Amino acid sequence: MSGVPFTSTAEPTLPPAPGFWNSPGLRRFRRHRLAVFGAATIVFLTLACIVGPWLLPYTDTFIDIRNRFAPPFSGPHVLGTDPLGRDILARLLMAGRISLAVGFSAMAIAMAIGIVVGMVAGFYEGALGAALMRFVDAMLCFPSIFLLLAISALISPSVPSIILLIAMTSWMEVARVVEAQIRSLKTREFAQAAVSFGASNRRIMIRELLPNAIAPIVVAATLNVAHAILAESYISFLGFGIQPPTPSWGNMLDSAQSYLTSAPWLAIIPGAAITLAVTSFNFIGDGLRDALDPRMDGQ
Amino acid sequence: MNKPSTKASGLALPALHRREVLALGAGGLLAASGLGARAQGKVPPPPPAKPSGQVVVGLSQEPTAFNPLMPGIEVDETVWMQIFNTMWLAQPDGSLVPDLAAEVPTEANGGISEGGLAWKVKLREGITWHDGTPFTAEDVKYTLELINAPGFKARTRVGHSLVKDIKVSGPLEISWRMEKAYAPYLALLSNTFIVPKHLLEKAADPNTAPFNGAPVGTGPFKWGTRTPGDNIQLVANEKYHGKGPYLEKAVLKYVPDQTALYAQFRTGQVDLIIGTGIPANFYAEAVKLPGRKVVKIPSASLEVLMPNLEHPALSDKAVRKALYASINKQAIIDIVFYGLHIPTESFMPQESWAYDPNLPKQAYDPALAGKILDDAGWKRSGSGVRMKNGVPLEFAVSTTTGAALREQCQQLMQQDWQQVGIKMAINNMPAAVIWGDFYTRSKFQSLLVGTAFRTVIDPDPAHRFGSDAIPAKSGNGANQMQWQNAEADALMKQGQETFDMAKRKEIYQKLQVLVREELPILPIYQYAPVEGYKEGLIGYQPNINARQNTWNMGQWYWAK
Amino acid sequence: MIAFLLRRLGQSLLLLLIVSVIGFAILHLAPGGPLSQFAAGGDMTQADLDRIAEQLGLNRPLPVQYVEWLWRMLTGDWGLSYRDQQPVLHIIASHLGATLELMLTSTLLAMVIGAWVGILGAIRRYSLFDSLATIGAMIALSIPTFWFGLVIIYVFSVGLGWLPAGNRYTMGDGSFLNQVHHLIGPCIVLALVSTAVWSRYMRSSMLEVVNQDYIRTARAKGVPERQILLRHALRNALLPMITITGLHVPTLLSGALVTETVFTWPGMGRLFLDSISYRDYPVVMGILMFTAVLVLLGSLLADLLYGVADPRISRSGR
């Protein structure tokens, strides 16, 4: 699991931007080679997963018993075949669709919930804010796997329920980050100025404060996707993840367990895919953090 | 002493005669011959004079219930069999031998009279509990009464609820009456372990007595220690009334994952794997492991597709026939299970005395399936899925998550049925969800399960097929398919009421023909699990009539 | 100080209450129940199952069951497991040792290696070592730990035979050396994520410290570099790290669960998994509360240590 729970809560200072591609932030990002590599990898993976299955000769569901357990690079199947003779590359890409979709969707939902809760708590403070943050703290008391496991073991596994489940267990960090940001931004001059115009609370929150809190939110979002993809693989490993015949990187890894000695590529390939995707998102997140927070210079 | 009974116990289970042994396939021969002891082909060394050595048994579920009268799962029996005894015990060949009883009651020896309404049992002399107290008929009376005691969480009262007027006429003689003749009771008692009256009656509440955490019985092993979540250690009962024990210690080791369990068997950390055993995909490799003996054992469990007969499509017999005709059983067995299991047409295991070997054999014939459906009015629609009166031939198959090989099986079936115009969806869930209301209240559409259809060792399947056994219709049983067939009900009732073995056999063969025709379940194969043990272990003997193959662990020992 | 502790205690109790309500609701409202395991067997009839359900009190309305559970909890009675009727606290305690052993040793290993890697990386910033270390740490954080564990088992245990394939000790040989032998695999796997986190934090912490004025002064005064690093920089860089440990508890527990599954380690993670599978409600609730307490204690410890380490931090926070 991503063990990097904390994002920077420092105040971002965005200077007036000359143009998007030449903005200092993006320039710093581009200097961060790993982050660029990460971004490129993700773009490539996403495209491959979306377009790839149409370009391949085999589908992911075609069962071809005579060619089961073919090792990679040994014949027409580039990455080999699985115990039912299905083409692994095709399965990998279809599974990638699911895993990436789960990752992005879970992130979207987690961000939505986290931003709303964080904004409301940070803006209104007082009793409502305290109550909300107490609730967030309570949810954070459950080690994430425990929560994931408890809920996933109790529901019927399906793609939407897994997405919801992962989102339910990862919105809290986002809420914390947003709450801290909003709380500090509230005291800044531009916010006070908006109040003095008579702007409504909602307008202040959404039009003034939120855009200035974007930096840590974006970083949190990227790390959230990484976490979601890993979480999906963990749930599948424990047996409660996405069910066949829908492939996901996690359940491909899970069903490869008993064949580790006889057909190790069945486990290595999806494991490598997960690692590659998650590492890329982590690099991007790192790069974004460095790019958007100039105070952490010289790192 | 366990005297092997030379005459058949007569009643419900005769010894397997030679002719019948030859009629069985190789699997049956393995079972009947007791592969373990005879595999070496030479005479095994004699057992040690004093109990010595230990055996580590690997289990993929953890035993947690140690009171044999309270609810437990199959793996708990592994403990019960060592600590406790029953009045009689089923042998691999189907005969019953007396254990705590001096002889098995039959109509011939007067133990069972009045057509099954009066029972009398003579118990063996000289048996003591692990704490030294002598075993008497009072313990048997106490056991039977405790099961029926309101407030006691008894595992099952089937059969026991019919017992009344228990009389102890002497320290080793007990008799009782039954409310009605119930032949399977003999089999049920072979799985009813006797508990000590002097310990349990002292407890304020037998449900929470300290006895339940440190059981005391009459069996070959005594309770040693338990490390929850890891292992249970049992020690030899040197004053055991039967043969053995020859081992000083028996360790029941819990390894939750089958693949990990196999890995530990390979590396020697466990001496023996039983129960669900070695996964099929490791069989080829396991057989070649040096220093290990790996055997296919007979099992009474069958893999069946269990349809919910209230489902609009599945209620149509033609649909079930077509489904059955388009399952490629042999391909599934060969591909997914490496040819290990045995295709079957009956709900009874081949080794059963009531098995009918002449049932019509299924052949994989998608063309025939298509014809059956066409004739019944299920025509292909635009999408390729068949329809009749607006009802699509579409249903879901559910099984427990995490069973990799079963999932492969489902996917093969899905593909085969798709070609015939049947749309099958896979809807798997965790075990606790599937076996909850989803199963018991028949909320499923169809299930792919491995289960047995007998009452302990008795072939009577009334609780699975009777129309009064449908829980979703307030019945009391396990007829989750919701099958209602008057002819079957009549046959099963007759089978329960007579103790005449020949008559019962005839009845059950008629029942098998009926079930094969009506297809309330679609039998796919009979399980042939793979168990393994370290070379040098003597005494291990698979027993299809025992819950676990540690049934005779008291007689195991290591060759030096 | 007392006021702070009291306030934290109050907040923690409130949190525990919320946790218990959420946990209880999720558990009981979900499909399936503790009797599912018996229904699977096929021996017990519906009447038997219904009778047992009644005796376990499962048919009462949920709020009633919750209040009863809460009341017993407050009086110290954590209930009895549905599976073996043993007291829940007993069961948790018997599994706790194994998990603590794993968590402590892996944390130590992670601290030592992570700190070393992080410090070296900070000193030799942008060198090859540093780049490799950073990439390595990233990958370590992105690998599914169970996959890593499986690979370790199959390479070092089934393949080379150097390590045992699981368990805490070999039956019949409970010697200390044997236990250490069994600890190696799971410890390394659990330490993977922690090492990566530690190394990254140590690196950034060292970098922050190294740029401080007092370090520059020491350099200007001619103090040998080694002494600067070891005596001044390191100590100040380590302090904030120690406070992080307390906050790391939830991640550690999560990792422990997965590691215990792969290595069949009889700890709390394993217990939690089994209890959930069998719907052993009392044990599941017990573990949830227990881990919540652990997590709260960890964060309290972190806050206290942070305050001690840096007295500038005021405790008027929230």
Side-chain angles (χ1 to χ4, degrees), chain C residues 106-159:
Chain C
S106 71
T107 305
L108 265 162
L109 185 67
M111 271 196 215
V112 167
I113 299 188
W116 180 77
V117 170
I119 293 170
L120 261 187
I123 297 174
R124 309 212 183 135
R125 203 166 19 139
Y126 300 137
S127 68
L128 183 64
F129 177 86
D130 186 34
S131 304
L132 284 179
T134 309
I135 297 182
M138 250 341 167
I139 296 184
L141 288 172
S142 315
I143 287 189
T145 49
F146 62 89
W147 186 62
F148 184 60
L150 285 174
V151 167
I152 296 257
I153 290 185
Y154 278 93
V155 168
F156 292 102
S157 175
V158 178

Side-chain angles (χ1 to χ4, degrees), chain B residues 55-357:
Chain B
V55 72
V56 180
V57 180
L59 303 169
S60 58
Q61 285 180 294
E62 186 190 5
T64 52
F66 309 116
N67 183 326
L69 302 181
M70 293 179 70
I73 51 181
E74 221 171 60
V75 77
D76 293 316
E77 303 241 3
T78 317
V79 177
W80 300 345
M81 297 170 168
Q82 316 314 324
I83 307 247
F84 299 96
N85 294 110
T86 53
M87 286 195 283
W88 38 85
L89 196 52
Q91 299 297 293
D93 63 6
S95 61
L96 285 178
V97 296
D99 196 351
L100 289 177
E103 62 173 358
V104 180
T106 64
E107 272 181 320
N109 65 20
I112 301 184
S113 51
E114 296 179 41
L117 294 176
W119 290 58
K120 193 159 71 174
V121 181
K122 282 203 271 284
L123 301 167
R124 205 187 286 272
E125 275 194 82
I127 302 179
T128 57
W129 295 96
H130 293 154
D131 62 357
T133 318
F135 163 77
T136 69
E138 292 286 346
D139 294 306
V140 180
K141 174 166 188 263
Y142 178 76
T143 301
L144 293 176
E145 285 179 341
L146 183 59
I147 292 175
N148 286 320
F152 179 65
K153 297 197 191 111
R155 173 161 58 105
T156 179
R157 290 194 177 136
V158 171
H160 301 296
S161 54
L162 301 169
V163 171
K164 53 183 185 156
D165 299 340
I166 308 177
K167 278 207 252 307
V168 168
S169 40
L172 295 172
E173 264 194 44
I174 185 171
S175 59
W176 67 82
R177 296 191 62 80
M178 306 276 294
E179 270 173 25
K180 60 172 193 180
Y182 186 63
Y185 197 49
L186 200 65
L188 280 163
L189 282 176
S190 79
N191 191 237
T192 305
F193 297 89
I194 307 298
V195 297
K197 169 177 178 175
H198 64 282
L199 288 176
L200 276 172
E201 68 175 353
K202 281 197 294 205
D205 177 9
N207 290 313
T208 52
F211 172 84
N212 298 338
V216 169
T218 52
F221 288 95
K222 292 195 280 199
W223 183 257
T225 59
R226 172 178 180 230
T227 310
D230 193 46
N231 66 72
I232 297 174
Q233 299 191 25
L234 306 173
V235 288
N237 171 17
E238 314 227 2
K239 299 215 180 57
Y240 183 53
H241 65 273
K243 265 203 282 199
Y246 306 126
L247 288 168
E248 194 184 346
K249 204 152 65 136
V251 179
L252 305 175
K253 176 94 184 65
Y254 166 49
V255 180
D257 174 58
Q258 273 199 290
T259 310
L261 183 53
Y262 173 67
Q264 294 189 20
F265 174 65
R266 263 181 77 147
T267 56
Q269 281 183 297
V270 306
D271 298 325
L272 161 95
I273 301 189
I274 57 166
T276 43
I278 299 177
N281 52 297
F282 290 121
Y283 179 65
E285 169 198 302
V287 167
K288 300 202 208 85
L289 287 175
R292 306 279 183 275
K293 289 243 178 309
V294 168
V295 289
K296 289 197 287 188
I297 60 157
S299 161
S301 275
L302 307 165
E303 181 87 342
V304 302
L305 185 76
M306 189 185 271
N308 186 340
L309 296 172
E310 301 279 317
H311 183 274
L314 297 171
S315 56
D316 186 346
K317 188 162 115 177
V319 169
R320 301 199 296 278
K321 279 179 120 68
L323 281 173
Y324 196 50
S326 45
I327 298 179
N328 193 342
K329 280 191 196 178
Q330 203 55 53
I332 289 177
I333 293 174
D334 290 338
I335 294 166
V336 182
F337 299 101
Y338 297 80
L340 283 175
H341 299 310
I342 308 165
T344 185
E345 308 293 335
S346 167
F347 60 87
M348 290 197 190
Q350 289 182 15
E351 292 82 358
S352 170
W353 55 270
Y355 175 71
D356 182 349

Side-chain angles (χ1 to χ4, degrees), chain A:
Chain A
M1 296 284 247
S2 170
V4 192
F6 309 103
T7 55
S8 158
T9 55
E11 300 169 0
T13 51
L14 297 178
F20 184 64
W21 287 106
N22 274 324
S23 61
L26 203 65
R27 275 212 309 268
R28 272 193 296 273
F29 184 89
R30 278 154 54 197
R31 263 210 315 248
H32 199 298
R33 280 192 305 240
L34 292 172
V36 174
F37 165 77
T41 311
I42 293 299
V43 169
F44 170 70
L45 270 178
T46 314
L47 281 176
C49 291
I50 295 177
V51 174
W54 286 319
L55 302 176
L56 288 175
Y58 300 102
T59 72
D60 62 308
T61 49
F62 178 64
I63 295 177
D64 178 11
I65 294 305
R66 278 161 307 133
N67 288 325
R68 47 199 308 229
F69 290 118
F73 311 124
S74 65
H77 296 273
V78 178
L79 286 181
T81 56
D82 73 353
L84 285 178
R86 295 177 292 202
D87 181 45
I88 292 198
L89 182 57
R91 292 212 91 214
L92 191 70
L93 296 180
M94 286 303 284
R97 283 192 193 177
I98 302 287
S99 295
L100 288 173
V102 168
F104 283 114
S105 316
M107 180 271 283
I109 299 180
M111 297 308 289
I113 301 177
I115 291 177
V116 168
V117 171
M119 245 188 352
V120 170
F123 188 79
Y124 288 108
E125 281 193 284
L128 175 63
L132 279 174
M133 292 321 285
R134 281 296 81 71
F135 178 62
V136 170
D137 287 340
M139 291 295 288
L140 281 169
C141 271
F142 297 90
S144 55
I145 268 254
F146 277 59
L147 203 55
L148 273 175
L149 182 54
I151 304 181
S152 68
L154 307 175
I155 59 174
S156 262
S158 71
V159 176
S161 57
I162 302 262
I163 291 177
L164 209 58
L165 167 67
I166 296 178
M168 283 297 117
T169 55
S170 54
W171 62 267
M172 292 87 73
E173 263 313 316
V174 179
R176 262 218 180 148
V177 165
V178 171
E179 192 263 353
Q181 275 290 311
I182 298 289
R183 202 156 38 90
S184 83
L185 283 177
K186 219 174 54 157
T187 59
R188 303 274 307 286
E189 284 133 12
F190 66 91
Q192 306 286 14
V195 171
S196 67
F197 296 167
S200 74
N201 283 342
R202 234 183 62 191
R203 187 201 160 90
I204 298 179
M205 279 198 284
I206 300 178
R207 302 279 303 269
E208 307 287 342
L209 297 177
L210 193 57
N212 283 309
I214 275 293
I217 289 180
V218 168
V219 177
T222 9
L223 297 177
N224 207 293
V225 182
H227 166 273
I229 297 180
L230 265 181
E232 187 267 316
S233 76
Y234 277 82
I235 311 179
S236 296
F237 166 70
L238 292 168
F240 307 113
I242 296 176
Q243 293 301 306
T246 315
S248 77
W249 286 336
N251 75 19
M252 280 176 78
L253 202 44
D254 180 41
S255 32
Q257 274 186 77
S258 15
Y259 302 106
L260 210 43
T261 37
S262 50
W265 66 90
L266 291 176
I268 295 178
I269 293 173
I274 295 176
T275 308
L276 188 63
V278 177
T279 311
S280 304
F281 277 111
N282 278 330
F283 281 152
I284 297 177
D286 239 21
L288 282 176
R289 181 193 289 140
D290 289 351
L292 297 174
D293 186 4
R295 218 189 50 160
M296 293 187 32
D297 226 318
Q299 292 284 7

Side-chain angles (χ1 to χ4, degrees), chain C residues 92-103 168 265-268:
Chain C
I92 294 181
S94 61
H95 284 83
L96 191 58
T99 302
L100 279 181
E101 184 186 344
L102 198 53
M103 279 169 62
R168 218 175 149 189
W265 193 261
M268 293 239 301

